[in-house]
C-alpha cells in the first residue's frame, strides 16, 4: 500500500531523501542530510578533534611543568612523571558512576583478601592506567564542554590565562596524585576494586582536608591574579568564577557527599524529618503568602522547582544561583500578598515553608558541598550569600522545630507527629472542607484544585485521543473500501467493455505489406 | 573552621587597590557586611532601608528589603555596605548566629520605648559574645525610635551604661527622621576600615569587643542630645 501511495504522491526525487554520505539509508534535515549513523560519526569526529586539541594544549603545558620540575630536582623526576602520567588516566575516571552501597561493602571486605605485593600492584596500575583519553573523556560530555569553555575564556587573557590554566591543571593533578602516592595496602585495594579512584581519593583525604586544599588553591590563585590584574577585583572575580566552574565540575563526583562524612546519613535524616512534618500548614508558620491568589501560587511553585533544581547542578555557584532564584520568587509571592516589600521577618518563615513543601533532594549534602567548595566571598557576603545563609537557617530551624515554634501545645504537636490527627481534619471548618463531603465542589486546597484541574485536562486529552483513534480507524477503513471500490470499478468497466483483440486484418493499407497478400487480390496500381 | 573564617575575613578586609581615579589617588574598595539583630518591631528593617536609600521604608519600591546595599565614596576609600536584615521573631533566635559569620559589624537594636526589647538586646549580646571570634566583628548597641523620646522607657544613660560595661559602641537613632543614621553608617565603615591594616598584617588577637570605635572618639558617633 505504501508503495502505491508513494508512486501516486507528490514527486520527490528519491536521492534527495537519502543520506548525503551515500550509505543508502535515509537522511534527515536535522542531521544536515545525513542518516543518524553517519551523523553520529561525523559529529564525534569533530568533537574528538576538539578534545584532542585541548588535550594537546594541556600536554604541552604539562611538559613545560615537567621540564621545570626536572630542573629543580633530577632524582624526583622519573617518579613524578610516572605519577602524573598515571594520574591523567585516573583522573578522567573520576567521572565514573558512583557504585551503589552494596558494592562498596563487598569491596571493603574484599580488600582483606587481596594480595598485597607492591610490585604487582604497580604493574597492575600501569595496565589499568591509560584508557586512551578520548574514550574515558567521551563519557562525560558536560565536562568536555566546560573544559572547552574554560580554555576559550582563558585564551582571551593571554599570559595570565595560560598561567591560570597551568595552575589549575597542576592542582587537579596534585589532587589526583594524592591517590596514587598512598600506602601499599591502599593500592592493593584498587586492584580488587573497580571504582578505585573514588575510593582511594576518599580514603586519602577527609572532607575537611579536601575543602582546605580547594580553598587554599582559590586563595593562592586569587592572590596571584590580583597582582596580574593590578588589583582590579572584578576581573579577578570573573576568572575565579571560571576556575571554580572548571575545577568543581571535575571534582564533583568524588567530593560531593563523600563517604568519609556522614552527609548521606544527614540527608536521609532531614528527608525523614521533613516528611514527618508534612502536616505543617502555612498558618502555623505565620507565612504571609496567600496561595489562593494565582500569581502567588505560581511563584510558590516556581520557588519549589528552583530549590529542587539545586541538586542537579555541579558547580557551587550554580547551586547558589538556584537558591537565589527560589528566594526571589518567594519575595515576589510575599510582595503580591502584602502589597509591600518583604522583610526578613516574612522571608525566613516563607523559605522554611518552601523547604518543607519541596523536601529538596540531598539537602544537607548540597549545603555541605557549597560550604566546602564555593569561593568564600560568595558565601558570607553578597546577595547569594545572604540567601544561602537563610537556607541554612531554615534547615537548622526545621531540625530543631518543636511545638513552641508552631504555636501548638506539646500534646497537639505529638498527635500530629504521630499521625493520630492531622490539622486539616481537627480544625475542619468552612475554610477546609473534608474531601468526603459528598459533592464538595468547593475544594479550597490549592493542591487539590491543581489536581482536579490536571485530571480534567487528562480526561480531555483522553477523549481527544479516542476521537483521533476513531478517525484514524475510519480513515483506514475508508482507504480499504476505496481501494476495493476502485478495483470494483475497474472490474465493472472491464466487464462492460471486454477486452477484444482486434485482428490486424481488419485494416488494409494500400501502401504496406502488399507483397504478403495473395496474388489474386493484389492491388493493382494504375497510373492516372 | 575558625581558621577558615578568619581567612575569609582576611580576604575581605584586605580590600583591593583600584586603578587610579582622576584625582590620582588610588582608592581602595572595602566590603562591609553589617548584620541587624534585635526583637521584632524595633525598626531593623526601617533602619536597613534608611541605610541603603536614606528614606523611610514606606516609599520603598523594591521587591524585598531583607538584603540591601549602599556604596559610600570617601576620599581615600570606597565603602560597599551590605546590610543583612534578620528575622526578629524569638523562635528564630537560635539560628541567627549563622547570619553574623564573617560580619564586620553587628548592630543590636532595641526600641527605646519598649523596655522588654532592651532586655532582649542583652540576650542577643550574650549570644554574640558566646559565638564571638576575636577581631572579626565590631558590635554596636543601637537605641532606635529616638524621635519618640517622650514615651521613652529606656533612658539614654541605661543604654550608655550597658555599652560601656560590655565595651561596645553605642548610639541612639531614628529611622523615621533619619537622625544620626548616616553618621552611624560612616562610623561603622570607619571602624571596619581602621581595622583593615592590622588585619592584613597578621592574625591579631588584640582586637576584641572593646576595640570598636571607642566612645566619644572623633570617629565615633554622637550621643543623644
Ligand atoms: N517613630 C518611629 N517609628 C519607627 C522607627 N523605626 C521603625 N518604626 C516603626 O516601627 C515599626 C516596626 O518597624 P520595622 O522596621 O518593621 O521593625 P523590625 O521588625 O525590627 O524590622 C514600623 O511600624 C515602623 O514604622 C523610628 O525610628 N521611629
Ligand atoms: Mg524586619
Amino acid at each position: 500500500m505504501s508503495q502505491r501511495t508513494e508512486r501516486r504522491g507528490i514527486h520527490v526525487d528519491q536521492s534527495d531523501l537519502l543520506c548525503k554520505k551515500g550509505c543508502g539509508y535515509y537522511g534527515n534535515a536535522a542531521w544536515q542530510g545525513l542518516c543518524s549513523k553517519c551523523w553520529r560519526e561525523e559529529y564525534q569526529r569533530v568533537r574528538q578533534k576538539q578534545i584532542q586539541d585541548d588535550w594537546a594544549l594541556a600536554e604541552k603545558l604539562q611538559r613545560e611543568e615537567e621540564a621545570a620540575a626536572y630542573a629543580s630536582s633530577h632524582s624526583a623526576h622519573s617518579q613524578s612523571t610516572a605519577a602524573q602520567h598515571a594520574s591523567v588516566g585516573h583522573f578522567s575516571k573520576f567521572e565514573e558512576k558512583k557504585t551503589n552501597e552494596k558494592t562498596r561493602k563487598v569491596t571493603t571486605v574484599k580488600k582483606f583478601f587481596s594480595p598485597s605485593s607492591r610490585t604487582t600492584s604497580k604493574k597492575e596500575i600501569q595496565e589499568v592506567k591509560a584508557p586512551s583519553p578520548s574514550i574515558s573523556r567521551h563519557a562525560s560530555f558536560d565536562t568536555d564542554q566546560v573544559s572547552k569553555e574554560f580554555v576559550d575564556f582563558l585564551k582571551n587573557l593571554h599570559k595570565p590565562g595560560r598561567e591560570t590554566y597551568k595552575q589549575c591543571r597542576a592542582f587537579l593533578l596534585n589532587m589526583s596524585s594524592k591517590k596514587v602516592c598512598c600506602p601499599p595496602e591502599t593500592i592493593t585495594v584498587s586492584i580488587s576494586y573497580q571504582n578505585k579512584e573514588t575510593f582511594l581519593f576518599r580514603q586519602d583525604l577527609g572532607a575537611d582536608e579536601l575543602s582546605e586544599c580547594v580553598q587554599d588553591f582559590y586563595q593562592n590563585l586569587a592572590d596571584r591574579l590580583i597582582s596580574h590584574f593590578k588589583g582590579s577585583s572584578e576581573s579577578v572575580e570573573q576568572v575565579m568564577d571560571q576556575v571554580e566552574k572548571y575545577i568543581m565540575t571535575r571534582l564533583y563526583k568524588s567530593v560531593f557527599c563523600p563517604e568519609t562524612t556522614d552527609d548521606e546519613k544527614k540527608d536521609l535524616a532531614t528527608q525523614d524529618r521533613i516528611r514527618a512534618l508534612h502536616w505543617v500548614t502555612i498558618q502555623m508558620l505565620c507565612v504571609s503568602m496567600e496561595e489562593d491568589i494565582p500569581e502567588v501560587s505560581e511563584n510558590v511553585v516556581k520557588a519549589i522547582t528552583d530549590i529542587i533544581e539545586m541538586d542537579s547542578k555541579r558547580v557551587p555557584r550554580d547551586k547558589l544561583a538556584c537558591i537565589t532564584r527560589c528566594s526571589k520568587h518567594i519575595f515576589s509571592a510575599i510582595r503580591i500578598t502584602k502589597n509591600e516589600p518583604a522583610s526578613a521577618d516574612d522571608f525566613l518563615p516563607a523559605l522554611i515553608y518552601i523547604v518543607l513543601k519541596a523536601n529538596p533532594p540531598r539537602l544537607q549534602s548540597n549545603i555541605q558541598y557549597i560550604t566546602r567548595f564555593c569561593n568564600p566571598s560568595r558565601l558570607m557576603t553578597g546577595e547569594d550569600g545572604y540567601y544561602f545563609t537563610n537556607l541554612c537557617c531554615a534547615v537548622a530551624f526545621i531540625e530543631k522545630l518543636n511545638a513552641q515554634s508552631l504555636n501548638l501545645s506539646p500534646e497537639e504537636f505529638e498527635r500530629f507527629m504521630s499521625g493520630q490527627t492531622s490539622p486539616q481534619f481537627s480544625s475542619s471548618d468552612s475554610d477546609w472542607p473534608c474531601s468526603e463531603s459528598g459533592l464538595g465542589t468547593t475544594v479550597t486546597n490549592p493542591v487539590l484544585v491543581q489536581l482536579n484541574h490536571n485530571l480534567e485536562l487528562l480526561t480531555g486529552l483522553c477523549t481527544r485521543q479516542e476521537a483521533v483513534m476513531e478517525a484514524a480507524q475510519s480513515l483506514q477503513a475508508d482507504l480499504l473500501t476505496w481501494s476495493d471500490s476502485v478495483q470494483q470499478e475497474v472490474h465493472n468497466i472491464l466487464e462492460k467493455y471486454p477486452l477484444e483483440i482486434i485482428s490486424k486484418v481488419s485494416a488494409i493499407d494500400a501502401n504496406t505489406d502488399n507483397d504478403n497478400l495473395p496474388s489474386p487480390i493484389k492491388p493493382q496500381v494504375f497510373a492516372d | 573552621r575558625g581558621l577558615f573564617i578568619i581567612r575569609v575575613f582576611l580576604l575581605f578586609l584586605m580590600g583591593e587597590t583600584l586603578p587610579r581615579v582622576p584625582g590620582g589617588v588610588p582608592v581602595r574598595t572595602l566590603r562591609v557586611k553589617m548584620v541587624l539583630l534585635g526583637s521584632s518591631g524595633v525598626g531593623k528593617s526601617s533602619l536597613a532601608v534608611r541605610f541603603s536609600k536614606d528614606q523611610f521604608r514606606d516609599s520603598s519600591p523594591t521587591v524585598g528589603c531583607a538584603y540591601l546595599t549602599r556604596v559610600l565614596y570617601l576620599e581615600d576609600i570606597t565603602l560597599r555596605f551590605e546590610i543583612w536584615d534578620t528575622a526578629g521573631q524569638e523562635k528564630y533566635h537560635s539560628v541567627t548566629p549563622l547570619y553574623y559569620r564573617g560580619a564586620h559589624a553587628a548592630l543590636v537594636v532595641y526600641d527605646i520605648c519598649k523596655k522588654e526589647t532592651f532586655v532582649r538586646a542583652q540576650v542577643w549580646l550574650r549570644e554574640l559574645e558566646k559565638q564571638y571570634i576575636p577581631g572579626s566583628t565590631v558590635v554596636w548597641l543601637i537605641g532606635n525610635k529616638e524621635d519618640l523620646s517622650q514615651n521613652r522607657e529606656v533612658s539614654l544613660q541605661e543604654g550608655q551604661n550597658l555599652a560601656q560595661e560590655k565595651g561596645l559602641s553605642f548610639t541612639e537613632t531614628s529611622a523615621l527622621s533619619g537622625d544620626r543614621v548616616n553618621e552611624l553608617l560612616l562610623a561603622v565603615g570607619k571602624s571596619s576600615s581602621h581595622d583593615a591594616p592590622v588585619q592584613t598584617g597578621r592574625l591579631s588577637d588584640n582586637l576584641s569587643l572593646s576595640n570598636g570605635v571607642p566612645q566619644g572618639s572623633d570617629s565615633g558617633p554622637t550621643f543623644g542630645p
Side-chain angles (χ1 to χ4, degrees):
Chain A
M1 188 134 152
S2 69
Q3 281 219 331
R4 255 200 238 177
T5 350
E6 208 180 321
R7 264 186 232 134
R8 204 183 284 134
I10 316 152
H11 274 284
V12 180
D13 194 357
Q14 188 89 356
S15 62
D16 285 348
L17 295 172
L18 290 177
C19 172
K20 291 225 156 56
K21 273 257 169 102
C23 65
Y25 285 91
Y26 286 101
N28 187 327
W31 296 322
Q32 292 167 8
L34 299 176
C35 73
S36 64
K37 188 162 168 288
C38 293
W39 163 249
R40 223 179 303 127
E41 277 164 8
E42 178 70 10
Y43 173 70
Q44 218 125 63
R45 202 176 53 74
V46 171
R47 217 184 72 196
Q48 216 52 254
K49 188 171 177 312
Q50 183 71 53
I51 291 170
Q52 268 157 19
D53 288 352
D54 286 359
W55 199 249
L57 175 61
E59 299 253 88
K60 193 178 138 257
L61 291 170
Q62 206 177 307
R63 269 199 301 280
E64 283 173 29
E65 228 167 281
E66 276 166 26
Y70 185 84
S72 65
S73 84
H74 180 81
S75 56
H77 174 69
S78 57
Q79 217 181 353
S80 75
T81 337
Q84 279 183 356
H85 216 55
S87 54
V88 175
H90 280 264
F91 182 69
S92 52
K93 276 211 175 171
F94 276 12
E95 306 298 331
E96 273 176 16
K97 274 232 147 53
K98 227 201 256 177
T99 45
N100 57 33
E101 197 77 37
K102 250 185 219 160
T103 336
R104 274 186 224 148
K105 272 178 194 142
V106 171
T107 44
T108 329
V109 178
K110 247 189 194 169
K111 83 175 175 188
F112 294 113
F113 298 103
S114 49
S116 61
S117 128
R118 179 150 199 174
T119 37
T120 2
S121 55
K122 252 192 175 168
K123 218 168 110 195
E124 289 272 359
I125 280 192
Q126 284 292 324
E127 276 167 23
V128 199
K129 167 198 96 182
S132 82
S134 53
I135 291 172
S136 50
R137 296 184 95 210
H138 160 87
S140 50
F141 177 66
D142 279 359
T143 316
D144 295 338
Q145 192 62 33
V146 169
S147 308
K148 190 183 163 304
E149 280 169 19
F150 188 55
V151 170
D152 283 349
F153 172 81
L154 291 177
K155 263 180 206 153
N156 303 327
L157 297 178
H158 308 293
K159 190 166 170 290
R162 244 174 298 142
E163 181 74 13
T164 307
Y165 187 78
K166 239 163 49 176
Q167 299 256 331
C168 290
R169 290 297 311 173
F171 173 68
L172 286 173
L173 288 173
N174 183 30
M175 289 297 273
S176 55
S177 66
K178 284 224 163 71
K179 309 162 308 174
V180 177
C181 312
C182 49
E185 66 271 20
T186 345
I187 292 182
T188 340
V189 180
S190 72
I191 301 157
S192 57
Y193 191 63
Q194 209 191 5
N195 194 17
K196 59 202 176 308
E197 287 76 19
T198 341
F199 192 76
L200 291 182
F201 196 101
R202 286 168 187 174
Q203 220 178 35
D204 201 12
L205 289 178
D208 285 339
E209 286 154 314
L210 282 174
S211 164
E212 207 128 306
C213 286
V214 174
Q215 295 294 349
D216 279 342
F217 172 70
Y218 284 157
Q219 211 198 330
N220 287 336
L221 190 61
D223 288 350
R224 275 165 194 256
L225 287 171
I226 284 177
S227 61
H228 267 310
F229 287 107
K230 306 280 179 295
S232 160
S233 59
E234 263 166 46
S235 325
V236 175
E237 273 182 14
Q238 263 182 5
V239 179
M240 287 312 291
D241 286 346
Q242 294 295 326
V243 167
E244 182 194 305
K245 190 173 172 191
Y246 175 71
I247 299 258
M248 291 322 295
T249 312
R250 273 152 189 281
L251 294 183
Y252 176 77
K253 282 269 166 69
S254 43
V255 302
F256 185 88
C257 185
E259 285 159 59
T260 48
T261 63
D262 53 357
D263 289 358
E264 191 175 353
K265 224 165 71 191
K266 281 196 206 149
D267 281 337
L268 293 176
T270 304
Q271 190 180 311
D272 288 346
R273 174 80 176 156
I274 293 177
R275 259 189 217 146
L277 290 170
H278 69 92
W279 47 268
V280 175
T281 63
I282 203 164
Q283 290 85 9
M284 289 180 191
L285 287 167
C286 309
V287 178
S288 28
M289 293 194 298
E290 280 289 341
E291 283 191 292
D292 292 346
I293 306 170
E295 280 171 87
V296 173
S297 73
E298 202 174 288
N299 273 299
V300 167
V301 169
K302 279 184 189 155
I304 290 175
T305 318
D306 285 331
I307 195 80
I308 288 175
E309 201 189 343
M310 172 177 68
D311 187 52
S312 67
K313 305 287 184 204
R314 289 205 273 181
V315 183
R317 232 167 70 77
D318 292 348
K319 287 183 188 283
L320 282 184
C322 290
I323 302 172
T324 301
R325 254 181 291 132
C326 164
S327 304
K328 291 271 162 81
H329 286 307
I330 294 176
F331 273 111
S332 307
I334 297 172
R335 161 124 231 189
I336 295 164
T337 307
K338 290 185 76 174
N339 214 2
E340 66 172 29
S343 74
D345 290 349
D346 307 316
F347 175 63
L348 185 58
L351 181 65
I352 292 168
Y353 176 71
I354 294 293
V355 171
L356 282 177
K357 287 294 132 190
N359 201 349
R362 302 195 285 178
L363 188 53
Q364 296 279 2
S365 288
N366 276 297
I367 288 178
Q368 287 300 328
Y369 175 75
I370 294 171
T371 314
R372 287 180 194 135
F373 300 110
C374 193
N375 221 323
S377 65
R378 301 272 174 206
L379 278 197
M380 301 211 199
T381 58
E383 200 168 10
D384 287 350
Y386 181 74
Y387 298 130
F388 177 70
T389 305
N390 273 284
L391 180 65
C392 295
C393 289
V395 174
F397 181 81
I398 289 170
E399 278 171 354
K400 290 181 195 153
L401 187 142
N402 57 20
Q404 212 185 347
S405 25
L406 297 174
N407 304 322
L408 297 172
S409 71
E411 298 79 38
E412 264 181 307
F413 186 79
E414 266 319 302
R415 273 206 308 274
F416 292 151
M417 278 308 265
S418 61
Q420 282 171 347
T421 32
S422 76
Q424 285 95 317
F425 296 111
S426 63
S427 66
S428 69
D429 33 286
S430 56
D431 114 320
W432 201 297
C434 308
S435 50
E436 56 259 61
S437 64
L439 300 157
T441 42
T442 49
V443 189
T444 44
N445 186 341
V447 180
L448 288 181
V449 171
Q450 185 74 41
L451 199 71
N452 279 340
H453 181 66
N454 288 347
L455 279 176
E456 264 165 40
L457 281 179
L458 270 178
T459 34
L461 274 177
C462 264
T463 45
R464 280 169 62 187
Q465 162 135 24
E466 268 162 24
V468 169
M469 280 309 285
E470 252 168 47
Q473 266 160 6
S474 80
L475 179 64
Q476 196 177 10
D478 279 359
L479 280 172
L480 283 174
T481 51
W482 179 72
S483 81
D484 282 351
S485 70
V486 169
Q487 255 171 10
Q488 189 63 41
E489 214 169 308
V490 170
H491 191 74
N492 288 347
I493 289 169
L494 284 180
E495 240 163 40
K496 223 175 186 174
Y497 308 103
L499 195 64
E500 288 166 40
I501 313 293
I502 300 157
S503 60
K504 280 179 178 174
V505 195
S506 58
I508 297 167
D509 192 330
N511 302 319
T512 51
D513 298 337
N514 292 344
D515 309 330
N516 296 341
L517 292 172
S519 52
I521 49 168
K522 199 173 184 176
Q524 303 277 318
V525 182
F526 300 100
D528 289 311
Chain B
R1 207 67 7 222
L3 237 166
F4 173 67
I5 289 168
I6 290 170
R7 189 167 60 203
V8 168
F9 178 58
L10 268 177
L11 211 68
F12 294 138
L13 269 198
M14 276 191 289
E16 303 101 6
T17 20
L18 283 172
R20 286 164 181 274
V21 290
V25 193
V27 172
R28 286 194 308 153
T29 305
L30 199 66
R31 278 190 182 177
V32 182
K33 167 178 167 182
M34 48 197 280
V35 180
L36 292 161
L37 304 169
S39 313
S40 268
V42 296
K44 296 185 297 298
S45 306
S46 311
L47 272 174
V49 173
R50 264 282 172 215
F51 282 141
S52 81
K53 300 205 193 70
D54 203 8
Q55 59 189 14
F56 199 56
R57 66 181 300 186
D58 308 271
S59 52
S60 171
T62 47
V63 179
C65 59
Y67 171 88
L68 296 167
T69 55
R70 169 81 176 268
V71 181
L72 279 187
Y73 301 97
L74 307 182
E75 301 153 35
D76 58 339
I77 194 164
T78 302
L79 294 174
R80 202 186 125 79
F81 289 94
E82 293 185 359
I83 302 139
W84 289 35
D85 196 1
T86 60
Q89 298 96 313
E90 216 170 305
K91 56 181 169 184
Y92 303 122
H93 190 147
S94 63
V95 297
T96 23
L98 293 173
Y99 286 107
Y100 44 78
R101 281 188 307 187
H104 302 111
L107 276 56
V108 177
V109 188
Y110 67 90
D111 179 349
I112 61 161
C113 308
K114 284 209 182 104
K115 188 84 187 179
E116 77 258 25
T117 63
F118 185 64
V119 176
R120 197 83 202 132
Q122 299 175 35
V123 181
W124 287 104
L125 288 175
R126 274 200 294 279
E127 193 71 32
L128 265 169
E129 271 174 286
K130 249 195 283 169
Q131 309 282 338
Y132 188 70
I133 302 152
S136 62
T137 313
V138 181
V139 182
W140 290 74
L141 183 66
I142 311 289
N144 190 38
K145 308 203 186 175
E146 189 253 324
D147 55 300
L148 300 175
S149 236
Q150 69 279 9
N151 303 328
R152 173 193 282 285
E153 284 181 12
V154 184
S155 71
L156 180 67
Q157 194 58 49
E158 277 175 281
Q160 275 175 345
N161 287 347
L162 177 63
Q164 201 138 40
E165 181 193 319
K166 301 261 183 191
L168 313 173
S169 313
F170 171 76
T171 188
E172 282 191 350
T173 56
S174 167
L176 180 68
S177 68
D179 270 358
R180 277 186 294 280
V181 173
N182 269 328
E183 290 86 335
L184 172 59
L185 195 66
L186 262 175
V188 168
K190 279 196 176 144
S191 67
S192 301
S193 57
H194 277 184
D195 292 345
V198 186
Q199 293 290 327
T200 47
R202 63 210 153 91
L203 294 180
S204 126
D205 53 2
N206 65 358
L207 289 161
S208 63
L209 273 175
S210 54
N211 277 68
V213 176
Q215 290 190 24
S217 80
D218 298 353
S219 54
T222 46
F223 301 97

